[in-house]
Amino acid sequence: MTGRIAPSPTGRMHLGNAYAALAAWLGARAAGGRVLLRIEDIDAPRVVRDADRWIMDDLAWLGLDWDGEPVYQSRRLDLYEDVLRRLRSVALDGGVLQGGTPQDMPLAVGALRDALPSDAALGAGVSRDAALRGGSSRDAELRGAMPRGADPRSATPLVYPCFCSRADIRAASAPNEGDGFLVYPGTCQRLGESERAARLERGDRHSWRIAVPGPDAPESARVVTFADRVFGPQRFDLARQLGDVVVRRSDGLFAYQLAASVDDLLMGVTQVVRGRDLLRSTAIQLWIRRWVAACVAMRTPQFAHLPLIDAADGRRMAKRLNSLDLGTLRDRGVDPREVVGYCAWLLRVIDEPRPVTPAELVPGFSWDGLAGDHADRVVDVEGLFA
């Protein structure tokens, strides 16, 4: 088992971040596994100077350790660039576009061998050599059903430039499932190759999107399913519920969906723990993962999505709202065991808040309590840890 704690260095950790980090740490340690630390600093304009150091210091204060050196996404830009370049050479049906070669589809085997974690980190029954050969049959779903042999002159590209503004997308889309998520209507996917090339040559501002199978595609091609340890079986129709998602923004920054998919795969992560607001992201990341892993068989991770933590006024805890942060608690002299115990209670690992260390929680850890009570939590920060 390999889990990860993956904070964004945009400010001090708050109570909600501590709650999620504790869940990820317990999920891996209770299974006798490793915990990796990934600093998700890919959105450079939002990064706060020294926030990575604050985060690592706060994790240590809570008693949450990790294995190996921290991984910084900002130091992996060449990797994301290489992945995107290869994906741009592939057709949606698995063929190779005109001008590409069959070797453009998967990552180069040598690069993969260097990027893959050790045999132990990959999990029982999967070695690095087996992964590069195609691995075991239980991992076949990662490769998916990707037919070959498309006509490169007429094939739909897997990744294509999108020239739409946010206003264009809002005007052409309807919010999905009442949560405000806009399914991209595929406007730029329908552009002809000559128009695409002309607009790129002209320097028109654009992002890059990864295409998903259309609504008329067979269900087996367009539907992603996975089991969540907390919220149970999940099913997402890529065409109707997600649409073509941005993998590189118009400002040139790589999107979270691409970077997280590549990193979780190549770091050998086998358990992903995060908030329930990212359930939809899991579906698109599994779709991206299939393509990045086209020549590599690795197990689909376990997923556990957590109830969100809201303040008494109904707003979700967030760094931008100056929610109760660990720096404030430390300045007040709060015992870290109190914070851990409160978070453990929110996770339904213990029956009531009490001072406890993360190590003391490991023997009795289970996802069952959370699975039985996964309503969002409301925390009244006034008087908390007084």
Side-chain angles (χ1 to χ4, degrees), residues 227-249:
D228 189 76
R229 298 298 300 266
V230 177
F231 285 87
Q234 300 293 310
R235 181 184 187 278
F236 288 90
D237 186 313
L238 293 172
R240 294 181 171 88
Q241 293 177 275
L242 290 105
D244 300 347
V245 173
V246 170
V247 289
R248 190 171 204 170
R249 295 168 13 180

Side-chain angles (χ1 to χ4, degrees), residues 8 27 62 172 210 224 241 244 259 316 386:
S8 298
L62 291 169
I210 187 167
V224 169
Q241 293 177 275
D244 300 347
R316 179 185 168 193

Side-chain angles (χ1 to χ4, degrees), residues 47-179:
V47 170
V48 173
R49 183 178 179 181
D50 291 332
D52 58 331
R53 180 178 57 80
W54 302 338
I55 288 168
M56 286 185 269
D57 191 44
D58 284 340
L59 290 172
W61 179 70
L62 291 169
L64 303 176
D65 62 347
W66 59 90
D67 299 285
E69 294 297 317
V71 172
Y72 286 77
Q73 287 186 329
S74 61
R75 300 172 188 173
R76 295 164 69 82
L77 300 183
D78 288 346
L79 173 62
Y80 309 141
E81 188 76 58
D82 187 52
V83 169
L84 186 59
R85 178 183 65 79
R86 295 173 190 277
L87 294 181
R88 284 170 53 187
S89 299
V90 183
L92 180 58
D93 70 354
V96 178
L97 295 177
Q98 193 167 22
T101 69
Q103 288 72 38
D104 283 326
M105 182 176 168
L107 292 171
V109 170
L112 269 174
R113 181 179 294 278
D114 292 339
L116 285 172
S118 66
D119 292 351
L122 289 173
V126 183
S127 67
R128 294 207 297 179
D129 288 339
L132 292 168
R133 290 196 306 269
S136 58
S137 60
R138 67 183 176 180
D139 299 321
E141 74 274 8
L142 271 180
R143 296 188 299 278
M146 299 179 184
R148 301 289 186 267
D151 181 346
R153 293 165 297 181
S154 60
T156 299
L158 175 66
V159 175
Y160 62 89
C162 175
F163 303 95
C164 296
S165 67
R166 291 184 180 179
D168 294 334
I169 297 169
R170 282 195 298 269
S173 307
N176 185 268
E177 296 182 354
D179 62 3

Side-chain angles (χ1 to χ4, degrees), residues 312-331:
D313 62 5
R315 294 191 299 176
R316 179 185 168 193
M317 281 198 172
K319 294 170 186 171
R320 67 181 180 277
L321 299 177
N322 296 318
S323 297
L324 192 63
D325 69 57
L326 300 194
T328 300
L329 297 181
R330 295 175 68 172
D331 289 344

Side-chain angles (χ1 to χ4, degrees), residues 120-369:
L122 289 173
V126 183
S127 67
R128 294 207 297 179
D129 288 339
L132 292 168
R133 290 196 306 269
S136 58
S137 60
R138 67 183 176 180
D139 299 321
E141 74 274 8
L142 271 180
R143 296 188 299 278
M146 299 179 184
R148 301 289 186 267
D151 181 346
R153 293 165 297 181
S154 60
T156 299
L158 175 66
V159 175
Y160 62 89
C162 175
F163 303 95
C164 296
S165 67
R166 291 184 180 179
D168 294 334
I169 297 169
R170 282 195 298 269
S173 307
N176 185 268
E177 296 182 354
D179 62 3
F181 181 86
L182 296 177
V183 176
Y184 180 65
T187 307
C188 289
Q189 189 195 89
R190 295 189 290 271
L191 294 178
E193 184 56 40
S194 59
E195 183 176 355
R196 263 195 211 107
R199 296 190 68 170
L200 289 173
E201 178 69 23
R202 196 164 61 224
D204 289 2
R205 187 179 177 92
H206 62 281
S207 60
W208 290 89
R209 291 181 180 271
I210 187 167
V212 300
D216 297 329
E219 183 174 302
S220 60
R222 72 172 195 277
V223 172
V224 169
T225 62
F226 61 94
D228 189 76
R229 298 298 300 266
V230 177
F231 285 87
Q234 300 293 310
R235 181 184 187 278
F236 288 90
D237 186 313
L238 293 172
R240 294 181 171 88
Q241 293 177 275
L242 290 105
D244 300 347
V245 173
V246 170
V247 289
R248 190 171 204 170
R249 295 168 13 180
S250 61
D251 59 6
L253 296 178
F254 293 102
Y256 163 77
Q257 306 291 15
L258 177 70
S261 302
V262 171
D263 287 342
D264 283 344
L265 176 65
L266 297 186
M267 291 172 67
V269 171
T270 58
Q271 184 177 81
V272 175
V273 179
R274 53 193 176 192
R276 66 153 181 83
D277 54 328
L278 293 175
L279 278 165
R280 191 196 305 269
S281 289
T282 295
I284 197 63
Q285 287 173 24
L286 285 172
W287 173 246
I288 295 171
R289 187 182 172 100
R290 288 183 187 177
W291 290 95
V292 177
C295 69
V296 185
M298 296 175 71
R299 290 182 298 172
T300 300
Q302 292 181 7
F303 294 100
H305 288 79
L306 308 175
L308 302 183
I309 305 295
D310 298 326
D313 62 5
R315 294 191 299 176
R316 179 185 168 193
M317 281 198 172
K319 294 170 186 171
R320 67 181 180 277
L321 299 177
N322 296 318
S323 297
L324 192 63
D325 69 57
L326 300 194
T328 300
L329 297 181
R330 295 175 68 172
D331 289 344
R332 282 167 37 186
V334 172
D335 187 330
R337 295 175 301 169
E338 290 186 74
V339 180
V340 171
Y342 189 80
C343 291
W345 173 69
L346 292 174
L347 292 166
R348 301 303 186 253
V349 178
I350 55 179
D351 294 333
E352 59 183 4
R354 57 179 170 82
V356 65
T357 66
E360 290 170 336
L361 295 168
V362 169
F365 176 76
S366 169
W367 294 108
D368 293 347

